[in-house]
Amino acid sequence: VVSDTIASATSISEVSQVQSQALDATPPAAPTAAPDLLASSDSGTTTDNVTNAVTPVVRVSFNIAAVDGSAAVVGDTVQVYSGATVVGSAVLTAPQVAAGSVDITLAAFADGVHALRATLTDTAGNVGAPSTPLNLTIDTVAPGVNVSAVGDGLLNAAEASGEAGVLQVTAEAGATITSTFTGSAGVVTRTLTGTGAAQAVTLTAAQVTALGQGPVAVSTVVTDIAGNPGAASAVGAFTLDTSAPTVTAAVGSVATTDVSGAAGGTVGNPW
């Protein structure tokens, strides 16, 4: 096959290239690190490798300094695998070799955890060792939140700012829970991080004052670590009553008795 290729060559450089490929038995070095999920593809909390992007972009970095023939060169092919399946590839160009890395858009993934490894293959067909894995989690499912009211729906200042809180919320671990309270005088927002267990949403005395007297509407939303927003819940509305009651005393006639004990008489002797 090599002799046929050489015979069909039309220049010395083509002959030299074929000879080099035929004599090249050195595979490219393994990528210098695991594939790196780009920040633009890492939705929600960046650097956690949990995303709702089903076709994410990863960066593969490779060795360009080795002098033993294993350095990446123009024309090498970079492939990214999920298990034994190739999910993305690129043929290296001069700018990419100069940069020492290449960005590759991957095929669509289903929800779940995917172990991604990268390899380099040179033009002679030598396959280098795989990189260490990137454990990538795809999560496109909107989170749920369970909200329950505290008390009887009529809260005084002490109840509203107490340790029991004004709401009980439950959301998956790591999710961001945001409860917004809209009162007659203002709006207060409280944010918690989900733990998977019920948590109290509390208000400070200053926040209770800021809401003002009367009905308080509640809206609670949760966003998971992949950046998926859940549906808002309006559970937990209450009425805030922080005013002390006013006692009004009616002033009327005061009956008296005289010394003889007769009702309606004057006090003491009439003389």
Side-chain angles (χ1 to χ4, degrees):
V1 175
V2 173
S3 60
D4 290 342
T5 306
I6 292 176
S8 63
T10 58
S11 67
I12 296 299
S13 62
E14 288 183 14
V15 172
S16 176
Q17 181 179 11
V18 172
Q19 289 175 329
S20 296
Q21 292 175 352
L23 296 174
D24 181 6
T26 302
T32 55
D36 183 27
L37 181 66
L38 294 190
S40 58
S41 288
D42 197 350
S43 61
T45 304
T46 57
T47 73
D48 64 358
N49 296 323
V50 179
T51 181
N52 58 20
V54 295
T55 56
V57 181
V58 297
R59 177 166 293 167
V60 178
S61 298
F62 38 79
N63 189 324
I64 58 174
V67 295
D68 60 357
S70 65
V73 297
V74 174
D76 285 354
T77 299
V78 179
Q79 292 180 303
V80 179
Y81 289 83
S82 175
T85 303
V86 176
V87 293
S89 65
V91 176
L92 295 181
T93 63
Q96 292 164 345
V97 171
S101 64
V102 59
D103 295 345
I104 300 175
T105 300
L106 305 182
F109 286 107
D111 277 23
V113 180
H114 306 269
L116 305 181
R117 291 178 171 83
T119 64
L120 276 80
T121 303
D122 63 21
T123 55
N126 299 303
V127 180
S131 68
T132 54
L134 162 67
N135 292 316
L136 175 67
T137 299
I138 304 295
D139 177 4
T140 61
V141 179
V145 61
N146 182 40
V147 182
S148 58
V150 174
D152 58 4
L154 179 61
L155 304 180
N156 59 33
E159 291 171 327
S161 59
E163 291 184 2
V166 293
L167 295 176
Q168 288 283 321
V169 296
T170 306
E172 64 186 63
T176 299
I177 307 165
T178 303
S179 294
T180 302
F181 303 88
T182 304
S184 61
V187 177
V188 171
T189 299
R190 298 290 284 158
T191 302
L192 299 175
T193 299
T195 64
Q199 300 179 84
V201 181
T202 60
L203 298 174
T204 66
Q207 289 169 335
V208 171
T209 301
L211 288 173
Q213 290 279 87
V216 177
V218 179
S219 176
T220 300
V221 295
V222 60
T223 303
D224 66 18
I225 59 175
N228 300 303
S233 167
V235 172
F238 58 91
T239 297
L240 195 57
D241 182 0
T242 61
S243 297
T246 301
V247 178
T248 302
V251 179
S253 300
V254 178
T256 62
T257 59
D258 61 19
V259 293
S260 64
T266 58
V267 177
N269 292 319
W271 61 80

